[in-house]
């Protein structure tokens, strides 16, 4: 099968697949005066992505975003948990949102789709990446990461985070920052897998919080569990207003690096 690449609404295959992405070109150095002629037009493209995303997702209803590795294979524990998460969220009345790719994202979309629910995939234009997986029944392919990330947060009432890599960490820490700084209304962030996440949580507590870089109460924003049913129940209860949730972080100045 030939390599496939989606550039906005355009599908490219074979030798037409580019070696750089739209986000990459936006962030790359440019020799003047090219930026003067190109960047203003990018603003219009960025605006159109926001409009298309808002238009497609505004009437979704209650939704939960599920994150995790694109490298998790069918038959692994992570993939199986993703399927269960997608199915159980639909049974609880939620739309399931993922990054639309393979691995855990595919698993959650599969569980949601096979349960008869709305299975959303928010894809991203990247060199040599697969398109939106076959279990997505509402898909949007974005050119710009920051537009896509806005959609993940804006239309979700909670995050379930399975083991993943840099992309998963990016979404996790952005959501923690937004909640910790009260930029967005608090919603639950559940990490699934003590063996995978406990080292990170210990480092945050024993090094970052101990050195005063975050408050000890900031760790209350994270819930870690091995039970995917518990993860679903936490986000479901909170979205319905039934969960008590952690205490609000103490008031104080915005910390350096925020």
């Amino acid at each position: 099968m030939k390599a496939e690449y989606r550039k906005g609404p355009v599908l490219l295959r074979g030798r037409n697949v580019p070696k750089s992405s739209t986000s990459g070109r936006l962030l790359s150095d440019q020799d003047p005066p090219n930026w003067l002629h190109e960047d203003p037009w990018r603003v219009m493209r960025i605006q159109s992505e926001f409009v298309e995303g808002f238009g497609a997702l505004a009437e979704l209803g209650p939704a939960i975003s599920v994150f995790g590795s694109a490298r998790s294979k069918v038959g692994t524990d992570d993939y199986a948990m993703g399927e269960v998460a997608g199915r159980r969220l639909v049974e609880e009345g939620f739309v399931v949102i993922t990054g639309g790719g393979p691995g855990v994202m595919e698993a959650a979309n599969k569980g949601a789709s096979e349960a008869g629910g709305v299975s959303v995939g928010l894809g991203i234009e990247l060199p040599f990446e697969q398109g939106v997986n076959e279990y997505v029944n509402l898909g949007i392919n974005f050119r710009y990461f920051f537009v896509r990330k806005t959609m993940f947060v804006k239309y979700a009432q909670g995050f379930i985070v399975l083991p993943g890599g840099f992309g998963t960490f990016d979404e996790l820490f952005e959501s923690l920052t937004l909640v910790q700084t009260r930029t967005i209304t608090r919603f639950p962030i559940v990490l699934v897998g003590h063996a995978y996440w406990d080292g990170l949580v210990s480092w945050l507590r024993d090094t970052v919080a101990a050195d005063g870089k975050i408050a000890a109460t900031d760790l209350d924003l994270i819930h870690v569990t091995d039970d995917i049913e518990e993860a679903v129940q936490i986000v479901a209860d909170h979205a319905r207003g039934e969960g008590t949730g952690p205490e609000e972080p103490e008031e104080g100045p915005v910390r350096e690096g925020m």
Side-chain angles (χ1 to χ4, degrees), residues 71-190:
R71 302 183 183 187
S72 296
K73 304 298 184 184
V74 176
T76 63
D77 290 342
D78 293 348
Y79 193 99
M81 286 193 295
E83 282 191 79
V84 173
R87 174 176 54 80
R88 288 290 295 114
L89 287 168
V90 167
E91 291 171 351
E92 292 287 340
F94 294 96
V95 171
V96 173
I97 302 175
T98 80
V104 167
M105 295 175 282
E106 176 186 288
N109 286 134
K110 180 181 180 182
S113 178
E114 292 183 347
V118 179
S119 177
V120 178
L122 306 182
I124 185 69
E125 174 198 323
L126 289 174
F128 313 114
E129 278 288 332
Q130 299 96 329
V132 173
N133 69 69
E134 63 180 302
Y135 300 103
V136 168
N137 51 43
L138 173 55
I140 309 172
N141 211 56
F142 293 96
R143 291 183 173 95
Y144 298 102
F145 270 105
F146 53 87
V147 180
R148 178 185 187 231
K149 290 164 76 173
T150 299
M151 304 301 158
F152 277 131
V153 175
K154 179 173 176 60
Y155 293 104
Q157 279 72 55
F159 284 177
I160 293 179
V161 188
L162 278 75
F166 286 158
T168 302
F169 303 156
D170 181 37
E171 297 295 345
L172 168 62
F173 280 102
E174 180 174 44
S175 63
L176 285 171
T177 301
L178 291 172
V179 178
Q180 191 271 346
T181 58
R182 303 186 189 184
T183 302
I184 59 175
T185 304
R186 169 165 302 199
F187 59 87
I189 301 166
V190 184

